[in-house]
């Protein structure tokens, strides 16, 4: 009897673990696709020779999910230069809620936050500025 209970508990735990693993993989897959979209959205605005680093981040290990990029720029680009580049590429503050500027890319709305970094140079955070990915998961497939 004890062996049966142990086996049953192990089976339940294994199923729960597999479900969590699948959920995490799905989240990471979506985060990778989101970050690829974000990279594409800024590729014409921020030339590679002006980018020091791009960190791809996600919230797949937390309750809020989501994905975003943190882009660190060379000190040559000042804050006004960065704003001007985005605005000339069609990014706008119109309707922006959680971002400084935003632009529709395909069916999605991408937003950017432009700020001075801790190190010399500007930092641009790129994320979705729509409601596709919220606390209840991803809704824009």
């Amino acid at each position: 009897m004890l062996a049966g209970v142990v086996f049953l508990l192990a089976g339940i735990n294994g199923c729960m673990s597999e479900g969590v693993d699948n959920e995490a993989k799905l989240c990471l897959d979506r985060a990778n696709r989101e970050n690829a979209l974000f990279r594409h959205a800024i590729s014409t605005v921020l030339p590679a020779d002006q980018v020091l680093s791009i960190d791809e981040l996600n919230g797949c290990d937390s309750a809020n999910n989501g994905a975003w990029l943190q882009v660190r720029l060379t000190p040559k680009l000042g804050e006004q230069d960065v704003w001007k580049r985005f605005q000339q590429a069609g990014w706008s503050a119109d309707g922006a809620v959680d971002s400084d500027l935003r632009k529709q890319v395909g069916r999605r709305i991408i937003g950017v936050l432009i700020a001075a970094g801790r190190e010399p140079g500007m930092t641009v955070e790129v994320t979705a500025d729509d409601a596709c990915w919220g606390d209840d998961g991803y809704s824009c497939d």
Side-chain angles (χ1 to χ4, degrees):
M1 174 79 170
L2 181 59
V5 171
V6 170
F7 179 74
L8 178 62
L9 288 175
I12 291 171
N13 189 28
C15 288
M16 288 176 20
S17 176
E18 183 177 318
V20 171
D21 287 346
N22 287 339
E23 202 172 299
K25 287 177 186 175
L26 182 59
C27 181
L28 289 171
D29 178 57
R30 287 179 175 146
N32 289 335
R33 285 187 286 152
E34 291 274 290
N35 282 332
L37 172 66
F38 302 155
R39 281 178 175 269
H40 172 74
I42 64 168
S43 64
T44 60
V45 180
L46 303 173
D49 64 339
Q50 300 294 314
V51 175
L52 294 176
S53 65
I54 298 178
D55 294 326
E56 293 190 5
L57 306 165
N58 66 67
C60 291
D61 59 348
S62 66
N64 66 349
N65 297 316
W68 63 99
L69 300 177
Q70 284 188 340
V71 183
R72 198 168 66 111
L73 304 173
T74 63
K76 291 183 223 174
L77 281 177
E79 183 174 2
Q80 294 306 315
D81 296 327
V82 176
W83 278 84
K84 186 176 178 181
R85 284 176 181 266
F86 276 100
Q87 289 170 328
Q88 287 177 339
W91 295 69
S92 169
D94 293 343
V97 176
D98 295 324
S99 58
D100 294 326
L101 299 169
R102 65 192 222 151
K103 181 177 183 178
Q104 185 159 350
V105 178
R107 295 181 306 178
R108 301 297 306 279
I109 299 173
I110 311 302
V112 293
L113 286 168
I114 302 167
R118 289 182 290 206
E119 300 170 15
M122 300 301 298
T123 299
V124 177
E125 185 171 295
V126 187
T127 190
D129 202 27
D130 52 26
C132 285
W133 210 337
D135 290 343
D136 295 325
Y138 194 81
S139 62
C140 290
D141 277 333

